[in-house]
Amino acid sequence: MIVKRLREEIARQSVPENMMNYQRWFKEKLENPVGLKGPIIKRISAQFFKEVKGESKKKILEDCEELLESDIGTERGIAFMWAANITDRMSKTDFPRLEGWLKKYVCNWGACDSLCCCALGELVALYPELIPKVKKWTPSKNRWLRRGAALSMIPTVRRGEGLKDAFAIADILLTDDDDMVQKGYGWMLKVAGDSHRDEVFKYVMKNKRQMPRTALRYAIEKMPANLKKEAMKIDW
């Protein structure tokens, strides 16, 4: 019933002034390129989550999966938001479910970021013993699993933890020729640099001849100008 009413509200809000064409930000052809603006999606998500937050974790995740079965990006986005809201109620046994969502429902960088930087990544941060499972995604032919391996470490490195594992993932993805993956592990390194700037800078300097420039620029984005200049200079 809650999913039905949620869908009715999405339809009600889908008037021209609330719509946005997201296709311009994606190389992949979106199934539904026109959607609601971000703040409206967040407001709808929060409104209906108030009704379900008292339900069991099992029921909420089942509602999420019903939303994920839709080909409407707004509904899938809300499913990822709801899952993120109950990460503190999850255990290691929920990892396979979220991993399955990544494999089955993620087909662009927006969905990858929404799932991996929030629900999946927060679960990994709560249970670091899951990191080896994340590392197993790095050789995948699926670009979103490779990007997801890096992004799922972001909540961990944001806490100042997991630097060794972040570097291990970056090592594997170092020369990946997919720009979505390059941006993903570069972003992970950038966040790690908030707590471990010297270590990340040393890592970049050690590997800058092999790192694609896209990844390098992401990794050093928040560093002081003098360090950026040094990192961008390559003496062959």
Side-chain angles (χ1 to χ4, degrees), residues 11-141:
R12 190 182 73 81
Q13 294 275 4
S14 296
V15 293
E17 58 266 31
N18 289 341
M19 305 293 277
M20 180 176 290
N21 188 344
Y22 289 95
Q23 185 62 69
R24 55 181 168 165
W25 292 308
F26 296 89
K27 295 180 181 179
E28 305 82 19
K29 181 173 175 55
L30 301 181
E31 295 174 346
N32 293 281
V34 179
L36 295 173
K37 295 176 183 177
I40 295 172
I41 296 172
K42 290 179 181 178
R43 185 167 66 244
I44 295 172
S45 175
Q47 172 189 338
F48 282 86
F49 184 74
K50 287 180 181 178
E51 296 186 38
V52 301
K53 66 180 181 180
E55 300 281 358
S56 68
K57 177 187 71 175
K58 179 177 181 293
K59 177 63 169 62
I60 294 172
L61 291 175
E62 287 174 351
D63 288 339
C64 289
E65 293 195 327
E66 185 175 350
L67 290 167
L68 288 169
E69 289 293 340
S70 167
D71 62 357
I72 298 175
T74 298
E75 294 185 17
R76 289 184 173 182
I78 289 174
F80 292 150
M81 290 179 195
W82 284 10
N85 287 341
I86 60 168
T87 307
D88 59 349
R89 293 160 61 179
M90 292 186 189
S91 68
K92 291 184 290 184
T93 60
D94 293 299
F95 180 84
R97 183 196 295 261
L98 299 188
E99 181 182 37
W101 291 2
L102 175 59
K103 293 176 178 179
K104 184 175 181 179
Y105 299 114
V106 168
C107 55
N108 59 62
W109 64 259
C112 186
D113 297 5
S114 295
L115 176 59
C116 294
C117 291
C118 297
L120 240 175
E122 291 294 342
L123 189 63
V124 171
L126 286 171
Y127 301 99
E129 56 268 37
L130 293 172
I131 292 175
K133 294 182 181 295
V134 169
K135 287 181 182 178
K136 290 181 179 180
W137 302 340
T138 52
S140 174
K141 293 182 180 179

Side-chain angles (χ1 to χ4, degrees), residues 102 112-113 115-118 120-122 124-125 131 133-139 142-158 161-163 165-174 176 178-192 203 215 218:
L102 175 59
C112 186
D113 297 5
L115 176 59
C116 294
C117 291
C118 297
L120 240 175
E122 291 294 342
V124 171
I131 292 175
K133 294 182 181 295
V134 169
K135 287 181 182 178
K136 290 181 179 180
W137 302 340
T138 52
N142 184 331
R143 69 195 305 200
W144 306 121
L145 265 71
R146 302 200 308 280
R147 180 180 172 94
L151 298 192
S152 293
M153 287 297 298
I154 285 180
T156 297
V157 298
R158 187 173 283 129
E161 303 168 357
L163 186 65
D165 292 307
F167 284 159
I169 288 173
D171 283 344
I172 300 170
L173 301 177
L174 191 69
D176 198 295
D178 191 309
D179 68 328
M180 290 288 101
V181 179
Q182 295 167 15
K183 291 175 182 178
Y185 85 77
W187 181 7
M188 173 187 67
L189 292 174
K190 175 173 64 176
V191 176
Y203 180 87
Y218 265 68

Side-chain angles (χ1 to χ4, degrees), residues 190-227:
K190 175 173 64 176
V191 176
D194 290 340
S195 301
H196 300 282
R197 188 183 72 185
D198 291 346
E199 293 92 333
V200 172
F201 181 70
K202 289 177 182 177
Y203 180 87
V204 170
M205 292 299 291
K206 175 184 175 183
N207 294 288
K208 65 179 184 176
R209 287 180 175 81
Q210 290 77 44
M211 287 180 75
R213 300 298 265 187
T214 296
L216 191 153
R217 289 191 181 96
Y218 265 68
I220 64 174
E221 183 179 348
K222 295 169 67 175
M223 291 187 179
N226 63 313
L227 296 185

